[in-house]
């Protein structure tokens, strides 16, 4: 079982991380977790999808067959994911299918055959579903009908996870190029070339592209400039980049998490974990939730200082398997044993005995 632990004598910056509920997932081999404003969705082997209430109760379960080969994306019009067929030990022999499910029942409302690819990434934009496929193709799909609005072949294949912003998506090709693509039209807005393979990308609040590479470099790029605005060198390949206000949170294979200022790349703080960083989450722009591949805990770091504000301890054989999610003051974690809901301000109880997500006591300060 997971338990939240802190020292008995807490500094003013430390917080209590309270467990609100747990839901066992070991038998279904869960691999994905996401939350919207009212439900938690779990993906598992066999392209199984389960929906839970914010009280940790199962609402529905759907078995779609094959593998889930994309993120699971809840939008106002439905729940979206891509499944890929498998045949024995041969990977994905039957192509990829984009699926729209009812968030209320789990029933499939429409499907669309996609070009076969190892992985797909989904984002939403103005009633459209944006599909970025590893094979270098980007498509805009009407989220209600499943009709293709536009389709672009950008590169031979993509590497790293794309970064979706308000009006564009950033993608990196296998030939060390970064493209900025309009979500409205699919047209290429800009292209930048880097000297080494891109491993992570993002965008700062002021519009600069932030990219990490296989050599541990982090660059801030403007399309109008030939040279990077700044470069920071870490000790290993960059695995994740996200922007939080005027800062950049980056994870490296040197086992460090870096918190850099977006303006000039200066280090606000850095923190080393015991092993390679496997999950990084942003909690309400106040805390970073970080875990490593060989650890049995998740560290809650104060973004303002980098100091450990709290810790969640896993069981001896328990490890996190997907990025944490947050919604309505709750922090959702997925391990190989269970899905959990946590709160940094305690779990108020409603009349049904579950966490009261509307209570101020359950919301992040």
């Amino acid at each position: 079982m997971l338990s939240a632990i802190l020292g008995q004598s807490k500094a003013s910056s430390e917080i209590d991380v309270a467990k609100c509920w747990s839901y066992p997932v070991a038998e279904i081999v869960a691999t994905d977790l996401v939350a919207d404003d009212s439900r938690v969705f779990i993906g598992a082997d066999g392209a199984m999808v389960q929906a839970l209430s914010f009280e940790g109760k199962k609402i529905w379960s759907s078995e779609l067959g094959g593998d889930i080969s994309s993120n699971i994306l809840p939008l106002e019009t439905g729940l979206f994911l891509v499944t890929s067929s498998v045949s024995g030990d041969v990977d994905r022999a039957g192509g990829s299918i984009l699926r729209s499910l009812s968030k209320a029942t789990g029933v499939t409302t429409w499907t669309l055959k996609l070009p076969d690819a190892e992985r797909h990434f989904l984002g939403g934009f103005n009633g459209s579903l944006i599909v970025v496929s590893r094979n270098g193709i980007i498509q805009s799909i009407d989220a209600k009908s499943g009709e293709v609005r536009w389709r672009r072949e950008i590169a031979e294949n993509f590497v790293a996870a794309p970064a979706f912003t308000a009006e564009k998506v950033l993608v990196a090709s296998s030939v060390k190029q970064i493209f900025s693509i309009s979500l409205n039209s699919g047209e290429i807005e800009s292209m930048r070339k880097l000297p080494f393979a891109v491993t992570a990308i993002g965008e700062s609040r002021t519009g600069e592209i932030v990219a990490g590479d296989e050599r541990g470099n982090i660059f801030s790029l403007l399309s109008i400039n030939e040279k990077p605005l700044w470069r920071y060198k870490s000790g290993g390949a960059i695995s994740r980049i996200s922007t939080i206000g005027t800062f950049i949170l980056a994870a490296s294979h040197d086992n460090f998490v870096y918190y850099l200022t977006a303006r000039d790349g200066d280090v606000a703080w850095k923190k080393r974990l015991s092993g390679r960083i496997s999950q990084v989450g942003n909690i309400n722009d106040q805390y970073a939730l970080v875990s490593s591949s060989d650890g049995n805990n998740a560290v809650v770091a104060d973004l303002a200082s980098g100091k450990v504000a709290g810790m969640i301890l896993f069981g001896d054989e328990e490890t996190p398997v997907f990025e944490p999610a947050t919604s309505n003051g709750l922090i959702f974690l997925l391990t190989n044993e269970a899905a959990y809901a946590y709160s940094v301000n305690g779990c108020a109880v409603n009349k049904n005995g579950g966490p009261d997500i509307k209570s101020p006591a359950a919301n992040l300060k």
Side-chain angles (χ1 to χ4, degrees):
M1 297 293 291
L2 278 150
S3 61
I5 63 168
L6 292 171
Q8 292 185 2
S9 177
K10 299 193 297 293
S12 59
S13 62
E14 291 183 341
I15 56 174
D16 288 308
V17 187
K19 185 176 74 175
C20 301
W21 52 258
S22 64
Y23 178 83
V25 299
E27 291 187 0
I28 63 173
V29 192
T31 56
D32 304 76
L33 180 144
V34 69
D36 65 4
D37 58 0
S38 62
R39 290 180 176 86
V40 180
F41 302 98
I42 297 172
D45 279 5
M48 174 186 288
V49 181
Q50 293 190 353
L52 308 182
S53 71
F54 270 22
E55 290 73 39
K57 307 298 183 183
K58 185 169 74 173
I59 300 172
W60 54 258
S61 179
S62 291
E63 294 187 40
L64 305 172
D67 285 338
I68 296 175
S69 56
S70 74
N71 56 307
I72 300 173
L73 180 66
L75 297 177
E76 183 179 354
T77 51
L79 185 70
F80 302 91
L81 70 155
V82 180
T83 61
S84 297
S85 301
V86 295
S87 177
D89 294 330
V90 180
D91 291 341
R92 297 182 177 89
S96 302
I97 299 175
L98 175 63
R99 299 178 183 271
S100 170
L101 309 183
S102 165
K103 292 195 292 184
T105 65
V107 173
T108 299
T109 55
W110 56 259
T111 63
L112 177 69
K113 182 73 169 61
L114 297 178
D116 195 20
E118 176 189 1
R119 186 73 180 171
H120 307 268
F121 301 89
L122 308 181
F125 173 73
N126 285 353
S128 293
L129 186 67
I130 307 299
V131 183
V132 178
S133 301
R134 283 277 198 206
N135 58 7
I137 297 174
I138 304 177
Q139 298 184 78
S140 175
I141 313 296
D142 187 288
K144 288 185 177 180
S145 66
E147 295 182 359
V148 178
R149 290 181 169 174
W150 53 257
R151 183 180 187 273
R152 302 286 185 267
E153 295 188 30
I154 304 298
E156 183 175 344
N157 51 62
F158 293 137
V159 296
F164 291 94
T165 70
E167 296 184 348
K168 59 188 174 183
V169 61
L170 304 175
V171 291
S173 75
S174 58
V175 292
K176 307 168 188 175
Q177 296 171 316
I178 298 176
F179 296 91
S180 175
I181 309 297
S182 166
L183 295 179
N184 185 57
S185 65
E187 299 301 321
I188 297 173
E189 294 184 341
S190 66
M191 188 276 289
R192 291 299 305 268
K193 180 83 172 177
L194 290 182
F196 304 110
V198 179
T199 53
I201 48 178
E203 184 182 66
S204 73
R205 190 174 67 176
T206 51
E208 293 87 4
I209 297 171
V210 183
D213 68 22
E214 61 183 344
R215 300 292 184 92
N217 298 297
I218 302 174
F219 298 94
S220 178
L221 308 166
L222 269 178
S223 59
I224 59 175
N225 289 359
E226 289 296 327
K227 295 182 178 180
L229 298 178
W230 54 259
R231 179 180 74 96
Y232 179 82
K233 182 71 168 69
S234 75
I238 304 301
S239 58
R240 287 169 178 79
I241 285 178
S242 60
T243 55
I244 303 174
T246 58
F247 292 88
I248 296 162
L249 185 66
S252 169
H253 284 177
D254 62 4
N255 302 347
F256 274 90
V257 175
Y258 297 89
Y259 201 53
L260 310 177
T261 57
R263 179 175 59 85
D264 52 20
D266 285 349
V267 179
W269 55 261
K270 62 181 181 179
K271 181 168 293 296
R272 187 179 188 275
L273 272 67
S274 60
R276 180 165 292 182
I277 294 164
S278 54
Q279 278 82 33
V280 180
N282 171 20
I283 306 174
N284 203 43
D285 289 355
Q286 289 182 285
Y287 305 100
L289 185 65
V290 188
S291 60
S292 64
S293 58
D294 65 349
N296 67 336
N297 61 65
V299 174
V300 181
D302 189 322
L303 285 175
S305 65
K307 294 181 178 179
V308 175
M311 187 175 291
I312 297 172
L313 185 66
F314 304 121
D316 291 340
E317 302 298 325
E318 194 169 22
T319 56
V321 296
F322 201 71
E323 303 290 340
T326 59
S327 181
N328 286 298
L330 292 177
I331 306 162
F332 301 103
L333 300 178
L334 181 66
T335 75
N336 57 320
E337 296 290 339
Y340 298 90
Y342 280 82
S343 172
V344 298
N345 264 348
C347 304
V349 178
N350 62 26
K351 63 181 180 180
N352 297 318
D356 184 1
I357 62 172
K358 295 181 181 180
S359 169
N363 291 330
L364 295 170
K365 291 180 179 180

